[in-house]
Amino acid sequence: MALFSAIRSGLSKTRDAILGELQGIVGTGKVTDELLEQLEEHLIKADVGVETAFALADALREHALGKSLTQKQILEILSTEASNLLTDPPPMEWKSSPHIILIIGVNGAGKTTTIGKLAHHFSAQGKKVMLAAGDTFRAAAIEQLQVWAERSQAEFVRHQEGSDPAAVAYDACAAAQARNCDVLLIDTAGRLHNKGHLMDELRKMVRVIRKHSPEYPHDIWLVIDGNTGQNTINQTKIFHESFPLTGLVVTKLDGTARGGSVLSIANNLDIPIRWVGMGEKIEELAPFDKTEYINGLFAQALDNETP
Ligand SMILES: Nc1nc2c(ncn2[C@@H]2O[C@H](COP(=O)(O)OP(=O)(O)OP(=O)(O)O)[C@@H](O)[C@H]2O)c(=O)[nH]1
Ligand SMILES: [Mg+2]
């Protein structure tokens, strides 16, 4: 219940961006081609992505062209179609202890914060968690992660600032094995997908981790800032070409009007969205759940009209 309302309140700006004008466009008469075009244009501006906007408008065309539907009926069609575009992530496979998760992404996306939140989440499930300070590049990045480790009562492995992140990751894997940890989360420095040498550095990290076991890392999750809008798709595709991403984390969905980008990400990329970040606090991370997300976008408008 608390989680549901967190998603609902976190998505308030996105909901306003999508529904505000939409409610003015639909439900004012017959569904016409002109109305559908307005709808497409509005949805594209609201950052749901071109293909998603067309898919939603097409669904409405199919069900309602020439008909006079109530606003509630139209929003129901749109929310059902939006829900069809989304898939819940498959359950996490805990293949071995330690389960190794490498967290990557562009600068400032929310990687370190997400790791802190994940550590808290997994600790609360009774798992023994270790964090590895694989961002040796940015000043104070190691200390930032250390604070999260303390807050979440996770084990912590670090080297000196400026040292080789691959060596940190290698040692952390050994330490996680030796200390019987269930999960090891490895932080990395922020990098742009088009910076070749930084992508090489990440490749080296993966190669070195694999020396422990070809199964390592079990997961590579890309952290995406939910404010980034349509650039995200291209960035993610390039990361995915270099690394087999097993999941996405979309952060900062609170406070952005661009939370509709989740629909675009889901519609354009075949990588599960696993988590959504809804704030800066340790508990403000939720497993992605399409029903909660769709309810967060549409439910209020539908509720309002419920007798
Ligand atoms: N509102 C909000 N802020 C967030 C969220 N996640 C992270 N932040 C904030 O975003 C900023 C950057 O977060 P970091 O976790 O340091 O991002 P990072 O990807 O590790 O950054 P670099 O290591 O510098 O690449 C911080 O101010 C965080 O508090 C979120 O879900 N919501
Ligand atoms: Mg960081």
Side-chain angles (χ1 to χ4, degrees):
M1 196 62 198
L3 192 64
F4 174 77
S5 48
I7 291 187
R8 188 183 270 213
S9 68
L11 284 172
S12 66
K13 285 198 183 154
T14 300
R15 186 166 54 240
D16 291 349
I18 293 185
L19 287 185
E21 205 177 316
L22 190 71
Q23 285 173 311
I25 297 173
V26 300
T28 50
K30 266 194 187 163
V31 176
T32 58
D33 278 318
E34 193 192 343
L35 177 144
L36 290 167
E37 270 177 38
Q38 278 180 4
L39 174 75
E40 278 166 3
E41 191 182 322
H42 165 64
L43 289 172
I44 290 168
K45 282 194 197 143
D47 263 313
V48 306
V50 174
E51 286 174 34
T52 314
F54 284 165
L56 294 178
D58 281 349
L60 197 55
R61 183 174 285 114
E62 194 181 311
H63 290 95
L65 188 64
K67 293 186 194 160
S68 287
L69 300 189
T70 64
Q71 195 177 80
K72 184 176 179 189
Q73 286 171 319
I74 290 181
L75 290 176
E76 266 168 3
I77 293 171
L78 290 177
S79 72
T80 304
E81 186 61 20
S83 177
N84 290 341
L85 296 175
L86 297 170
T87 343
D88 283 325
M92 270 204 66
E93 287 184 49
W94 297 95
K95 285 189 192 138
S96 74
S97 277
H99 184 99
I100 316 255
I101 307 174
L102 186 68
I103 303 290
I104 66 175
V106 303
N107 308 68
K111 296 176 292 301
T112 307
T113 307
T114 297
I115 289 176
K117 293 171 175 177
L118 286 169
H120 172 73
H121 184 91
F122 292 141
S123 291
Q125 290 180 340
K127 297 196 187 309
K128 188 170 177 190
V129 182
M130 177 179 282
L131 306 187
D135 179 358
T136 58
F137 176 72
R138 187 169 61 72
I142 298 172
E143 289 72 19
Q144 184 193 358
L145 189 70
Q146 188 159 14
V147 170
W148 283 111
E150 283 159 14
R151 278 188 204 153
S152 56
Q153 297 179 334
E155 305 269 327
F156 184 61
V157 170
R158 61 166 292 175
H159 285 191
Q160 293 307 309
E161 197 178 312
S163 58
D164 183 352
V168 180
Y170 185 85
D171 286 356
C173 290
Q177 289 170 344
R179 292 187 225 167
N180 293 320
C181 290
D182 298 304
V183 52
L184 167 64
L185 294 154
I186 305 175
D187 196 12
T188 60
R191 70 201 69 227
L192 278 173
H193 54 294
N194 54 9
K195 290 274 187 275
H197 64 293
L198 294 177
M199 294 298 266
D200 285 345
E201 183 190 82
L202 211 47
R203 271 187 212 100
K204 182 178 168 194
M205 272 176 106
V206 172
R207 217 170 47 239
V208 165
I209 294 170
R210 288 205 176 122
K211 291 195 188 303
H212 284 286
S213 159
E215 287 198 339
Y216 288 5
H218 301 91
D219 281 294
I220 304 180
W221 291 346
L222 181 77
V223 177
I224 294 172
D225 181 334
N227 283 295
T228 317
Q230 294 306 303
N231 285 342
T232 302
I233 306 294
N234 196 30
Q235 274 179 8
T236 305
K237 281 185 180 159
I238 295 172
F239 270 109
H240 195 40
E241 279 162 17
S242 303
F243 305 96
L245 300 176
T246 56
L248 303 174
V249 182
V250 185
T251 61
K252 309 188 196 181
L253 279 186
D254 57 303
T256 178
R258 298 177 129 182
S261 60
V262 165
L263 286 171
S264 171
I265 292 167
N267 201 15
N268 282 282
L269 300 165
D270 203 12
I271 310 164
I273 299 171
R274 291 203 165 268
W275 304 92
V276 285
M278 309 295 299
E280 298 187 88
K281 297 204 201 87
I282 201 161
E283 67 282 356
E284 289 178 324
L285 179 84
F288 179 69
D289 178 309
K290 73 171 188 171
T291 306
E292 278 168 17
Y293 175 79
I294 292 294
N295 281 340
L297 285 191
F298 290 99
Q300 209 163 356
L302 296 174
D303 289 353
N304 285 348
E305 297 208 9
T306 308

